[in-house]
Amino acid sequence: MTTMPKTFAQAAKRHGVPESVLLAVSYMESRWDCNGGRLSTAAGFGPMHLTDGAGPSRSRHHHLDGYEDPRGDDSRSPHFPIEPEERQNGSPTSLHTLERAAELTGESLEHLRKDPAANIDGGAALLADYQRALGAPPSDDPADWYGAVARYSGASAEEIAANFADEVYEIIHEGATRTTDTGAEVTLPPSPEVHPSRSWLTRLDLPHLTGADAVESPGSVSCEWIPALYRRRPEGKYGNHDIADRPSSQTIQYIVIHDTEELYDKTVGLVQDPAEMSWHYTLRSRDGHLAQHVLTKDVAWHAGNWYVNTKAIGLEHEGFLAAGGTWYTEAMYRTSAKLVRYLADRFGVPLDRAHIIGHDNVPGLLPEKVRTMHEDPGPYWDWAHFFDLMGAPLRPDGEAGTATVMILPDYDRNRPHYIGCDKEHPDATCPPHGSASVWLHTEPRGESPLVKDIGKHPADESSYSVYDHAARAGTGQRYVVAERRGDWTAIWYLGQKAWFHNPASDPVAVPSRTLIATPRPGLTSVPVYGRAYPEPAAYPADVEVQPRIPLQYTFPAGQSYTVGLTTTGEFYKATTFDTTLHRVVRGTQQYHQIQFGHRVMFVKSEDVDVTEA
């Protein structure tokens, strides 16, 4: 049986494509994953993402439905991935590359979809075909293939095609090594000496993006302005965001990573509806293209927690959390990483998992909101790779035996058991795939029950569902060690000991030195909150006092939790279309954000002692 590296080498030689170009394009499209022949991003298949124009349109309920109150929770239920519909308006799937690859290779469509070797060969044939069509030489020099690589993106605008090609050549410069979803080890050696011939781009004769001058983004990515609508609505309502003056009015502390559970075109359509919710940016899976909808100074309605909304920038990534990471492409990771790094540098947001959080890490605003908070981007989002791309790698920063640990499994080799990826068979095991999460048990053995989250499951137990993070810890999150027993480590988690398998020979957590919060002497327990609001005395007469209602969890004496940040209570009153009535209320009450479970939560500073682990 031919190995995957040999398959790339043979396909490159057969079609006269430099092997580094073929490998880098495939890595950009799929990170060399095969996805078991299943449909993935934008109606594509296999490691070369050959697109099938016959992909059915099967719209179902989506992740962005159900938003009711921008100051409360956007209640959305878990959904199963939908099959992508054929795109319009010159978007990537209009190329129908699967059919063209079949013409060039003589392979059947079914074989190209399901056989990785045929798929790779088809991708090489397409690159060679694009090179010929441009009148470019059949060169051994990777630099001469810039135009063909840009064409492979299927982009509808020159800037998008250029961004895709530039990222491919960055991969060629840097090199890459990865264990794929089939267990194959694939390596692309770095070639920093390659300098692409960008003059071939003009031969594609593509139009330019419109509205790019209005965007806030790094110059190295393609970004267009597709504005969310700020409009009056009937019965005194308005949408779909709030005008503000950040960071002058309020500091920006978070960047929230979402996935859409919907296709890109539908997603950007929703954000232009004043009756829907909003977010600041949308990223397209296929090519990493970026659209901005809300200025960063303004407050978008995306996190389901008004306090977090007022302090955050929200990024929606085209994708489906139960799809095994197939929609989380290298193209999208790289654009997102550049955007987050740009925003973090601009607003002084630390690049750590206390500030760069998933929607699944946002706390419920009030006890009744906890159960309906969201689960995206889920366990298949590769946080370690994401931070590597940002130039802020997650690494051990403590000594062996330190009282705190960071969860840091090897994503590709860490393949926990999940269910719930198949709508027709919800109890079936999900296909094996790398994951950023580890399961947490009540005892130091794998067959013991999962720990319980009384907020998410008031009347039942945690499950192994890919949508259920009630008993999971994720990459980059830091916890205080409660006990160690052999190959098992216990951490404090939602008021209880939570055990995970952590053998020294293959650890999924590393020593991490950070601050920890412990109840002050004399306190039997400490209340935890889903928002950091000011004390009542801070509110002026024209602003209703927001009650500080604890969540349903218990933080008892004898336990400790890591501190991610310290902040002073704030509340942004913005309930009308008339911005002159908006108010920022600042108090003196200090809070510490703690990693209390899978989500972050807040404790009052006077309730805890904070020390270094």
Side-chain angles (χ1 to χ4, degrees), residues 57-89:
S57 173
R58 295 172 57 189
S59 182
R60 304 188 185 122
H61 295 296
H62 51 78
H63 170 79
L64 300 171
D65 279 338
Y67 191 86
E68 296 177 356
D69 184 348
R71 286 147 296 279
D73 171 58
D74 53 335
S75 300
R76 312 169 194 171
S77 58
H79 304 294
F80 295 86
I82 68 172
E83 294 188 25
E85 60 192 28
E86 186 175 354
R87 314 289 269 295
Q88 289 86 37
N89 303 322

PDB file of all heavy atoms in Angstrom, residues 57-89:
ATOM      1  N   SER A  57     -28.582  21.346  -1.376  1.00  0.00           N
ATOM      2  CA  SER A  57     -28.950  22.409  -0.440  1.00  0.00           C
ATOM      3  C   SER A  57     -29.915  21.834   0.574  1.00  0.00           C
ATOM      4  O   SER A  57     -31.008  21.430   0.223  1.00  0.00           O
ATOM      5  CB  SER A  57     -29.608  23.565  -1.194  1.00  0.00           C
ATOM      6  OG  SER A  57     -30.112  24.510  -0.286  1.00  0.00           O
ATOM      7  N   ARG A  58     -29.494  21.772   1.846  1.00  0.00           N
ATOM      8  CA  ARG A  58     -30.338  21.180   2.883  1.00  0.00           C
ATOM      9  C   ARG A  58     -30.279  22.053   4.118  1.00  0.00           C
ATOM     10  O   ARG A  58     -29.772  21.660   5.159  1.00  0.00           O
ATOM     11  CB  ARG A  58     -29.859  19.759   3.203  1.00  0.00           C
ATOM     12  CG  ARG A  58     -30.002  18.795   2.040  1.00  0.00           C
ATOM     13  CD  ARG A  58     -29.348  17.470   2.353  1.00  0.00           C
ATOM     14  NE  ARG A  58     -29.890  16.874   3.551  1.00  0.00           N
ATOM     15  CZ  ARG A  58     -29.363  15.795   4.135  1.00  0.00           C
ATOM     16  NH1 ARG A  58     -28.302  15.224   3.623  1.00  0.00           N
ATOM     17  NH2 ARG A  58     -29.901  15.314   5.218  1.00  0.00           N
ATOM     18  N   SER A  59     -30.785  23.246   3.999  1.00  0.00           N
ATOM     19  CA  SER A  59     -30.730  24.178   5.120  1.00  0.00           C
ATOM     20  C   SER A  59     -31.569  23.668   6.283  1.00  0.00           C
ATOM     21  O   SER A  59     -32.696  23.250   6.117  1.00  0.00           O
ATOM     22  CB  SER A  59     -31.239  25.543   4.674  1.00  0.00           C
ATOM     23  OG  SER A  59     -31.153  26.453   5.738  1.00  0.00           O
ATOM     24  N   ARG A  60     -30.979  23.683   7.474  1.00  0.00           N
ATOM     25  CA  ARG A  60     -31.688  23.324   8.690  1.00  0.00           C
ATOM     26  C   ARG A  60     -31.595  24.481   9.660  1.00  0.00           C
ATOM     27  O   ARG A  60     -31.042  25.527   9.366  1.00  0.00           O
ATOM     28  CB  ARG A  60     -31.057  22.069   9.305  1.00  0.00           C
ATOM     29  CG  ARG A  60     -31.020  20.900   8.318  1.00  0.00           C
ATOM     30  CD  ARG A  60     -30.561  19.645   9.052  1.00  0.00           C
ATOM     31  NE  ARG A  60     -30.423  18.567   8.078  1.00  0.00           N
ATOM     32  CZ  ARG A  60     -29.299  17.895   7.869  1.00  0.00           C
ATOM     33  NH1 ARG A  60     -28.228  18.200   8.526  1.00  0.00           N
ATOM     34  NH2 ARG A  60     -29.253  16.929   6.981  1.00  0.00           N
ATOM     35  N   HIS A  61     -32.091  24.269  10.880  1.00  0.00           N
ATOM     36  CA  HIS A  61     -31.933  25.306  11.901  1.00  0.00           C
ATOM     37  C   HIS A  61     -30.450  25.558  12.101  1.00  0.00           C
ATOM     38  O   HIS A  61     -29.642  24.647  12.088  1.00  0.00           O
ATOM     39  CB  HIS A  61     -32.538  24.830  13.228  1.00  0.00           C
ATOM     40  CG  HIS A  61     -34.011  24.628  13.144  1.00  0.00           C
ATOM     41  ND1 HIS A  61     -34.879  25.654  12.903  1.00  0.00           N
ATOM     42  CD2 HIS A  61     -34.763  23.500  13.244  1.00  0.00           C
ATOM     43  CE1 HIS A  61     -36.112  25.176  12.882  1.00  0.00           C
ATOM     44  NE2 HIS A  61     -36.068  23.881  13.086  1.00  0.00           N
ATOM     45  N   HIS A  62     -30.102  26.810  12.320  1.00  0.00           N
ATOM     46  CA  HIS A  62     -28.682  27.131  12.382  1.00  0.00           C
ATOM     47  C   HIS A  62     -28.310  27.771  13.712  1.00  0.00           C
ATOM     48  O   HIS A  62     -29.124  28.240  14.474  1.00  0.00           O
ATOM     49  CB  HIS A  62     -28.290  28.041  11.212  1.00  0.00           C
ATOM     50  CG  HIS A  62     -29.164  29.238  11.068  1.00  0.00           C
ATOM     51  ND1 HIS A  62     -29.040  30.336  11.880  1.00  0.00           N
ATOM     52  CD2 HIS A  62     -30.193  29.498  10.224  1.00  0.00           C
ATOM     53  CE1 HIS A  62     -29.935  31.242  11.537  1.00  0.00           C
ATOM     54  NE2 HIS A  62     -30.640  30.770  10.548  1.00  0.00           N
ATOM     55  N   HIS A  63     -27.035  27.797  13.924  1.00  0.00           N
ATOM     56  CA  HIS A  63     -26.420  28.298  15.154  1.00  0.00           C
ATOM     57  C   HIS A  63     -26.792  29.748  15.426  1.00  0.00           C
ATOM     58  O   HIS A  63     -26.814  30.184  16.567  1.00  0.00           O
ATOM     59  CB  HIS A  63     -24.910  28.156  14.974  1.00  0.00           C
ATOM     60  CG  HIS A  63     -24.069  28.802  16.007  1.00  0.00           C
ATOM     61  ND1 HIS A  63     -23.853  28.247  17.233  1.00  0.00           N
ATOM     62  CD2 HIS A  63     -23.381  29.966  16.009  1.00  0.00           C
ATOM     63  CE1 HIS A  63     -23.039  29.030  17.929  1.00  0.00           C
ATOM     64  NE2 HIS A  63     -22.750  30.068  17.211  1.00  0.00           N
ATOM     65  N   LEU A  64     -27.077  30.509  14.387  1.00  0.00           N
ATOM     66  CA  LEU A  64     -27.318  31.928  14.565  1.00  0.00           C
ATOM     67  C   LEU A  64     -28.787  32.265  14.764  1.00  0.00           C
ATOM     68  O   LEU A  64     -29.168  33.419  14.817  1.00  0.00           O
ATOM     69  CB  LEU A  64     -26.766  32.683  13.344  1.00  0.00           C
ATOM     70  CG  LEU A  64     -25.261  32.472  13.154  1.00  0.00           C
ATOM     71  CD1 LEU A  64     -24.804  33.053  11.837  1.00  0.00           C
ATOM     72  CD2 LEU A  64     -24.470  33.078  14.290  1.00  0.00           C
ATOM     73  N   ASP A  65     -29.660  31.255  14.871  1.00  0.00           N
ATOM     74  CA  ASP A  65     -31.069  31.492  15.119  1.00  0.00           C
ATOM     75  C   ASP A  65     -31.330  31.731  16.606  1.00  0.00           C
ATOM     76  O   ASP A  65     -30.546  31.350  17.456  1.00  0.00           O
ATOM     77  CB  ASP A  65     -31.906  30.272  14.717  1.00  0.00           C
ATOM     78  CG  ASP A  65     -32.173  30.243  13.230  1.00  0.00           C
ATOM     79  OD1 ASP A  65     -32.097  31.303  12.612  1.00  0.00           O
ATOM     80  OD2 ASP A  65     -32.462  29.155  12.712  1.00  0.00           O
ATOM     81  N   GLY A  66     -32.479  32.331  16.900  1.00  0.00           N
ATOM     82  CA  GLY A  66     -32.985  32.323  18.266  1.00  0.00           C
ATOM     83  C   GLY A  66     -32.502  33.442  19.139  1.00  0.00           C
ATOM     84  O   GLY A  66     -32.694  33.421  20.344  1.00  0.00           O
ATOM     85  N   TYR A  67     -31.872  34.462  18.569  1.00  0.00           N
ATOM     86  CA  TYR A  67     -31.366  35.545  19.398  1.00  0.00           C
ATOM     87  C   TYR A  67     -32.515  36.464  19.784  1.00  0.00           C
ATOM     88  O   TYR A  67     -33.232  36.957  18.926  1.00  0.00           O
ATOM     89  CB  TYR A  67     -30.298  36.335  18.636  1.00  0.00           C
ATOM     90  CG  TYR A  67     -29.560  37.283  19.522  1.00  0.00           C
ATOM     91  CD1 TYR A  67     -28.454  36.841  20.233  1.00  0.00           C
ATOM     92  CD2 TYR A  67     -29.966  38.590  19.680  1.00  0.00           C
ATOM     93  CE1 TYR A  67     -27.763  37.695  21.055  1.00  0.00           C
ATOM     94  CE2 TYR A  67     -29.289  39.445  20.511  1.00  0.00           C
ATOM     95  CZ  TYR A  67     -28.182  38.998  21.191  1.00  0.00           C
ATOM     96  OH  TYR A  67     -27.506  39.842  22.013  1.00  0.00           O
ATOM     97  N   GLU A  68     -32.689  36.702  21.077  1.00  0.00           N
ATOM     98  CA  GLU A  68     -33.839  37.473  21.526  1.00  0.00           C
ATOM     99  C   GLU A  68     -33.451  38.801  22.171  1.00  0.00           C
ATOM    100  O   GLU A  68     -34.020  39.834  21.862  1.00  0.00           O
ATOM    101  CB  GLU A  68     -34.670  36.645  22.510  1.00  0.00           C
ATOM    102  CG  GLU A  68     -35.274  35.404  21.851  1.00  0.00           C
ATOM    103  CD  GLU A  68     -36.040  34.554  22.832  1.00  0.00           C
ATOM    104  OE1 GLU A  68     -36.027  34.886  24.026  1.00  0.00           O
ATOM    105  OE2 GLU A  68     -36.644  33.569  22.398  1.00  0.00           O
ATOM    106  N   ASP A  69     -32.505  38.783  23.079  1.00  0.00           N
ATOM    107  CA  ASP A  69     -32.226  39.994  23.842  1.00  0.00           C
ATOM    108  C   ASP A  69     -30.723  40.223  23.866  1.00  0.00           C
ATOM    109  O   ASP A  69     -29.978  39.405  24.393  1.00  0.00           O
ATOM    110  CB  ASP A  69     -32.750  39.830  25.275  1.00  0.00           C
ATOM    111  CG  ASP A  69     -32.577  41.096  26.105  1.00  0.00           C
ATOM    112  OD1 ASP A  69     -31.855  42.004  25.652  1.00  0.00           O
ATOM    113  OD2 ASP A  69     -33.165  41.167  27.182  1.00  0.00           O
ATOM    114  N   PRO A  70     -30.242  41.314  23.310  1.00  0.00           N
ATOM    115  CA  PRO A  70     -28.804  41.543  23.252  1.00  0.00           C
ATOM    116  C   PRO A  70     -28.155  41.646  24.611  1.00  0.00           C
ATOM    117  O   PRO A  70     -26.954  41.503  24.748  1.00  0.00           O
ATOM    118  CB  PRO A  70     -28.683  42.866  22.483  1.00  0.00           C
ATOM    119  CG  PRO A  70     -29.995  43.547  22.676  1.00  0.00           C
ATOM    120  CD  PRO A  70     -31.000  42.426  22.754  1.00  0.00           C
ATOM    121  N   ARG A  71     -28.941  41.917  25.646  1.00  0.00           N
ATOM    122  CA  ARG A  71     -28.370  42.025  26.984  1.00  0.00           C
ATOM    123  C   ARG A  71     -28.523  40.744  27.779  1.00  0.00           C
ATOM    124  O   ARG A  71     -28.151  40.674  28.932  1.00  0.00           O
ATOM    125  CB  ARG A  71     -29.032  43.187  27.718  1.00  0.00           C
ATOM    126  CG  ARG A  71     -28.538  44.537  27.210  1.00  0.00           C
ATOM    127  CD  ARG A  71     -29.592  45.591  27.261  1.00  0.00           C
ATOM    128  NE  ARG A  71     -30.697  45.286  26.385  1.00  0.00           N
ATOM    129  CZ  ARG A  71     -30.686  45.527  25.073  1.00  0.00           C
ATOM    130  NH1 ARG A  71     -29.618  46.033  24.513  1.00  0.00           N
ATOM    131  NH2 ARG A  71     -31.731  45.239  24.311  1.00  0.00           N
ATOM    132  N   GLY A  72     -29.079  39.718  27.126  1.00  0.00           N
ATOM    133  CA  GLY A  72     -29.267  38.448  27.820  1.00  0.00           C
ATOM    134  C   GLY A  72     -28.557  37.338  27.111  1.00  0.00           C
ATOM    135  O   GLY A  72     -27.413  37.457  26.746  1.00  0.00           O
ATOM    136  N   ASP A  73     -29.293  36.263  26.861  1.00  0.00           N
ATOM    137  CA  ASP A  73     -28.697  35.068  26.279  1.00  0.00           C
ATOM    138  C   ASP A  73     -29.291  34.800  24.917  1.00  0.00           C
ATOM    139  O   ASP A  73     -30.482  34.956  24.704  1.00  0.00           O
ATOM    140  CB  ASP A  73     -28.968  33.866  27.192  1.00  0.00           C
ATOM    141  CG  ASP A  73     -28.560  32.567  26.549  1.00  0.00           C
ATOM    142  OD1 ASP A  73     -27.376  32.466  26.200  1.00  0.00           O
ATOM    143  OD2 ASP A  73     -29.412  31.690  26.405  1.00  0.00           O
ATOM    144  N   ASP A  74     -28.454  34.416  23.957  1.00  0.00           N
ATOM    145  CA  ASP A  74     -28.965  34.023  22.648  1.00  0.00           C
ATOM    146  C   ASP A  74     -29.122  32.515  22.645  1.00  0.00           C
ATOM    147  O   ASP A  74     -28.237  31.782  22.267  1.00  0.00           O
ATOM    148  CB  ASP A  74     -28.031  34.490  21.525  1.00  0.00           C
ATOM    149  CG  ASP A  74     -26.591  34.068  21.722  1.00  0.00           C
ATOM    150  OD1 ASP A  74     -26.185  33.837  22.885  1.00  0.00           O
ATOM    151  OD2 ASP A  74     -25.884  33.960  20.731  1.00  0.00           O
ATOM    152  N   SER A  75     -30.271  32.054  23.084  1.00  0.00           N
ATOM    153  CA  SER A  75     -30.493  30.637  23.291  1.00  0.00           C
ATOM    154  C   SER A  75     -30.516  29.895  21.976  1.00  0.00           C
ATOM    155  O   SER A  75     -31.340  30.147  21.126  1.00  0.00           O
ATOM    156  CB  SER A  75     -31.823  30.420  24.019  1.00  0.00           C
ATOM    157  OG  SER A  75     -31.786  31.065  25.264  1.00  0.00           O
ATOM    158  N   ARG A  76     -29.583  28.993  21.828  1.00  0.00           N
ATOM    159  CA  ARG A  76     -29.513  28.187  20.631  1.00  0.00           C
ATOM    160  C   ARG A  76     -29.286  26.746  21.044  1.00  0.00           C
ATOM    161  O   ARG A  76     -28.526  26.467  21.954  1.00  0.00           O
ATOM    162  CB  ARG A  76     -28.355  28.629  19.731  1.00  0.00           C
ATOM    163  CG  ARG A  76     -28.283  30.136  19.504  1.00  0.00           C
ATOM    164  CD  ARG A  76     -26.974  30.475  18.833  1.00  0.00           C
ATOM    165  NE  ARG A  76     -26.724  31.905  18.887  1.00  0.00           N
ATOM    166  CZ  ARG A  76     -25.579  32.459  18.541  1.00  0.00           C
ATOM    167  NH1 ARG A  76     -24.582  31.723  18.124  1.00  0.00           N
ATOM    168  NH2 ARG A  76     -25.418  33.751  18.606  1.00  0.00           N
ATOM    169  N   SER A  77     -29.930  25.852  20.376  1.00  0.00           N
ATOM    170  CA  SER A  77     -29.766  24.442  20.707  1.00  0.00           C
ATOM    171  C   SER A  77     -28.683  23.832  19.847  1.00  0.00           C
ATOM    172  O   SER A  77     -28.333  24.366  18.803  1.00  0.00           O
ATOM    173  CB  SER A  77     -31.083  23.701  20.463  1.00  0.00           C
ATOM    174  OG  SER A  77     -31.486  23.857  19.125  1.00  0.00           O
ATOM    175  N   PRO A  78     -28.094  22.699  20.258  1.00  0.00           N
ATOM    176  CA  PRO A  78     -27.072  22.060  19.442  1.00  0.00           C
ATOM    177  C   PRO A  78     -27.651  21.582  18.127  1.00  0.00           C
ATOM    178  O   PRO A  78     -28.791  21.155  18.053  1.00  0.00           O
ATOM    179  CB  PRO A  78     -26.599  20.889  20.306  1.00  0.00           C
ATOM    180  CG  PRO A  78     -27.706  20.640  21.256  1.00  0.00           C
ATOM    181  CD  PRO A  78     -28.365  21.964  21.491  1.00  0.00           C
ATOM    182  N   HIS A  79     -26.817  21.650  17.090  1.00  0.00           N
ATOM    183  CA  HIS A  79     -27.271  21.246  15.775  1.00  0.00           C
ATOM    184  C   HIS A  79     -26.249  20.316  15.144  1.00  0.00           C
ATOM    185  O   HIS A  79     -25.076  20.332  15.486  1.00  0.00           O
ATOM    186  CB  HIS A  79     -27.483  22.466  14.884  1.00  0.00           C
ATOM    187  CG  HIS A  79     -28.428  23.452  15.476  1.00  0.00           C
ATOM    188  ND1 HIS A  79     -29.760  23.188  15.680  1.00  0.00           N
ATOM    189  CD2 HIS A  79     -28.229  24.690  15.972  1.00  0.00           C
ATOM    190  CE1 HIS A  79     -30.339  24.225  16.243  1.00  0.00           C
ATOM    191  NE2 HIS A  79     -29.438  25.136  16.446  1.00  0.00           N
ATOM    192  N   PHE A  80     -26.711  19.551  14.201  1.00  0.00           N
ATOM    193  CA  PHE A  80     -25.838  18.666  13.471  1.00  0.00           C
ATOM    194  C   PHE A  80     -25.379  19.364  12.200  1.00  0.00           C
ATOM    195  O   PHE A  80     -26.074  20.219  11.670  1.00  0.00           O
ATOM    196  CB  PHE A  80     -26.563  17.364  13.131  1.00  0.00           C
ATOM    197  CG  PHE A  80     -26.922  16.591  14.345  1.00  0.00           C
ATOM    198  CD1 PHE A  80     -28.105  16.860  15.032  1.00  0.00           C
ATOM    199  CD2 PHE A  80     -26.086  15.619  14.845  1.00  0.00           C
ATOM    200  CE1 PHE A  80     -28.441  16.156  16.179  1.00  0.00           C
ATOM    201  CE2 PHE A  80     -26.414  14.910  15.973  1.00  0.00           C
ATOM    202  CZ  PHE A  80     -27.602  15.175  16.652  1.00  0.00           C
ATOM    203  N   PRO A  81     -24.187  19.011  11.697  1.00  0.00           N
ATOM    204  CA  PRO A  81     -23.682  19.693  10.515  1.00  0.00           C
ATOM    205  C   PRO A  81     -24.587  19.471   9.318  1.00  0.00           C
ATOM    206  O   PRO A  81     -25.096  18.378   9.115  1.00  0.00           O
ATOM    207  CB  PRO A  81     -22.309  19.049  10.293  1.00  0.00           C
ATOM    208  CG  PRO A  81     -22.361  17.745  11.009  1.00  0.00           C
ATOM    209  CD  PRO A  81     -23.284  17.950  12.165  1.00  0.00           C
ATOM    210  N   ILE A  82     -24.774  20.527   8.539  1.00  0.00           N
ATOM    211  CA  ILE A  82     -25.572  20.398   7.340  1.00  0.00           C
ATOM    212  C   ILE A  82     -24.663  20.225   6.135  1.00  0.00           C
ATOM    213  O   ILE A  82     -23.496  20.588   6.173  1.00  0.00           O
ATOM    214  CB  ILE A  82     -26.482  21.618   7.146  1.00  0.00           C
ATOM    215  CG1 ILE A  82     -25.647  22.865   6.816  1.00  0.00           C
ATOM    216  CG2 ILE A  82     -27.343  21.859   8.338  1.00  0.00           C
ATOM    217  CD1 ILE A  82     -26.486  24.050   6.436  1.00  0.00           C
ATOM    218  N   GLU A  83     -25.197  19.669   5.099  1.00  0.00           N
ATOM    219  CA  GLU A  83     -24.406  19.523   3.896  1.00  0.00           C
ATOM    220  C   GLU A  83     -24.407  20.841   3.144  1.00  0.00           C
ATOM    221  O   GLU A  83     -25.444  21.451   2.943  1.00  0.00           O
ATOM    222  CB  GLU A  83     -24.969  18.398   3.028  1.00  0.00           C
ATOM    223  CG  GLU A  83     -24.819  17.049   3.709  1.00  0.00           C
ATOM    224  CD  GLU A  83     -25.193  15.917   2.783  1.00  0.00           C
ATOM    225  OE1 GLU A  83     -25.097  16.096   1.562  1.00  0.00           O
ATOM    226  OE2 GLU A  83     -25.587  14.873   3.279  1.00  0.00           O
ATOM    227  N   PRO A  84     -23.237  21.305   2.712  1.00  0.00           N
ATOM    228  CA  PRO A  84     -23.150  22.626   2.105  1.00  0.00           C
ATOM    229  C   PRO A  84     -23.942  22.702   0.811  1.00  0.00           C
ATOM    230  O   PRO A  84     -23.972  21.783   0.022  1.00  0.00           O
ATOM    231  CB  PRO A  84     -21.655  22.785   1.827  1.00  0.00           C
ATOM    232  CG  PRO A  84     -20.993  21.791   2.719  1.00  0.00           C
ATOM    233  CD  PRO A  84     -21.949  20.655   2.849  1.00  0.00           C
ATOM    234  N   GLU A  85     -24.555  23.841   0.603  1.00  0.00           N
ATOM    235  CA  GLU A  85     -25.288  24.057  -0.628  1.00  0.00           C
ATOM    236  C   GLU A  85     -24.352  24.634  -1.679  1.00  0.00           C
ATOM    237  O   GLU A  85     -23.297  25.175  -1.367  1.00  0.00           O
ATOM    238  CB  GLU A  85     -26.440  25.019  -0.376  1.00  0.00           C
ATOM    239  CG  GLU A  85     -25.990  26.369   0.135  1.00  0.00           C
ATOM    240  CD  GLU A  85     -27.150  27.203   0.641  1.00  0.00           C
ATOM    241  OE1 GLU A  85     -28.147  26.619   1.085  1.00  0.00           O
ATOM    242  OE2 GLU A  85     -27.031  28.424   0.577  1.00  0.00           O
ATOM    243  N   GLU A  86     -24.730  24.530  -2.918  1.00  0.00           N
ATOM    244  CA  GLU A  86     -23.934  25.125  -3.976  1.00  0.00           C
ATOM    245  C   GLU A  86     -23.948  26.631  -3.815  1.00  0.00           C
ATOM    246  O   GLU A  86     -24.974  27.234  -3.575  1.00  0.00           O
ATOM    247  CB  GLU A  86     -24.516  24.735  -5.333  1.00  0.00           C
ATOM    248  CG  GLU A  86     -23.649  25.196  -6.494  1.00  0.00           C
ATOM    249  CD  GLU A  86     -24.181  24.685  -7.822  1.00  0.00           C
ATOM    250  OE1 GLU A  86     -25.139  23.904  -7.799  1.00  0.00           O
ATOM    251  OE2 GLU A  86     -23.640  25.096  -8.845  1.00  0.00           O
ATOM    252  N   ARG A  87     -22.791  27.241  -3.907  1.00  0.00           N
ATOM    253  CA  ARG A  87     -22.688  28.669  -3.677  1.00  0.00           C
ATOM    254  C   ARG A  87     -22.937  29.454  -4.965  1.00  0.00           C
ATOM    255  O   ARG A  87     -22.767  28.947  -6.061  1.00  0.00           O
ATOM    256  CB  ARG A  87     -21.291  29.027  -3.148  1.00  0.00           C
ATOM    257  CG  ARG A  87     -20.810  28.114  -2.057  1.00  0.00           C
ATOM    258  CD  ARG A  87     -21.537  28.297  -0.748  1.00  0.00           C
ATOM    259  NE  ARG A  87     -20.912  29.258   0.113  1.00  0.00           N
ATOM    260  CZ  ARG A  87     -19.712  29.115   0.641  1.00  0.00           C
ATOM    261  NH1 ARG A  87     -19.001  28.077   0.400  1.00  0.00           N
ATOM    262  NH2 ARG A  87     -19.210  30.029   1.423  1.00  0.00           N
ATOM    263  N   GLN A  88     -23.294  30.711  -4.805  1.00  0.00           N
ATOM    264  CA  GLN A  88     -23.484  31.575  -5.951  1.00  0.00           C
ATOM    265  C   GLN A  88     -22.450  32.698  -5.943  1.00  0.00           C
ATOM    266  O   GLN A  88     -21.563  32.742  -5.126  1.00  0.00           O
ATOM    267  CB  GLN A  88     -24.899  32.193  -5.935  1.00  0.00           C
ATOM    268  CG  GLN A  88     -26.020  31.200  -6.230  1.00  0.00           C
ATOM    269  CD  GLN A  88     -26.480  30.471  -4.995  1.00  0.00           C
ATOM    270  OE1 GLN A  88     -26.534  31.047  -3.935  1.00  0.00           O
ATOM    271  NE2 GLN A  88     -26.787  29.194  -5.141  1.00  0.00           N
ATOM    272  N   ASN A  89     -22.612  33.625  -6.906  1.00  0.00           N
ATOM    273  CA  ASN A  89     -21.841  34.863  -6.956  1.00  0.00           C
ATOM    274  C   ASN A  89     -20.333  34.642  -7.010  1.00  0.00           C
ATOM    275  O   ASN A  89     -19.561  35.335  -6.370  1.00  0.00           O
ATOM    276  CB  ASN A  89     -22.183  35.744  -5.739  1.00  0.00           C
ATOM    277  CG  ASN A  89     -23.652  36.052  -5.665  1.00  0.00           C
ATOM    278  OD1 ASN A  89     -24.278  36.263  -6.702  1.00  0.00           O
ATOM    279  ND2 ASN A  89     -24.217  36.066  -4.474  1.00  0.00           N
TER     280      ASN A  89
END
